Amino acid sequence: MEHSGQGRFWGNLIMTAVCFVIFCGCLYAMGWWDLDSVWIPGGIAMALAVLTYLIPQELLGRSDSVDHEVIHAEATDVRSAGH
């Protein structure tokens, strides 16, 4: 059985590096946060944090490719085997 990332090592490595750089940019923006200027660094940090989690979860994820019939068929086969 194949998983969604099989055979895509370099693409996965590059996207991990890109998301890590975006996350480091978020942490860097938080370094500019003080009580006098809250909105600009906070907005930048929030946007970068959302991108860091949105890119792998929504844009690269394969949430729409799930075949529910196959999932339920596998569960039925396991139960009928006496487990």
Side-chain angles (χ1 to χ4, degrees):
M1 176 177 252
E2 294 183 10
H3 58 84
S4 63
Q6 187 171 1
R8 298 186 174 111
F9 175 76
W10 292 110
N12 290 340
L13 186 66
I14 290 169
M15 285 312 301
T16 300
V18 167
C19 289
F20 184 73
V21 168
I22 294 172
F23 183 69
C24 287
C26 171
L27 295 178
Y28 181 75
M30 293 298 288
W32 291 96
W33 189 311
D34 60 1
L35 294 178
D36 295 329
S37 62
V38 174
W39 293 105
I40 294 175
I44 292 170
M46 181 63 76
L48 291 175
V50 167
L51 277 176
T52 300
Y53 293 108
L54 187 70
I55 289 172
Q57 183 177 1
E58 296 296 327
L59 299 179
L60 297 178
R62 298 186 59 183
S63 61
D64 60 341
S65 64
V66 174
D67 189 4
H68 294 287
E69 294 175 6
V70 172
I71 292 172
H72 295 298
E74 290 176 3
T76 306
D77 292 339
V78 170
R79 288 188 194 136
S80 65
H83 293 281

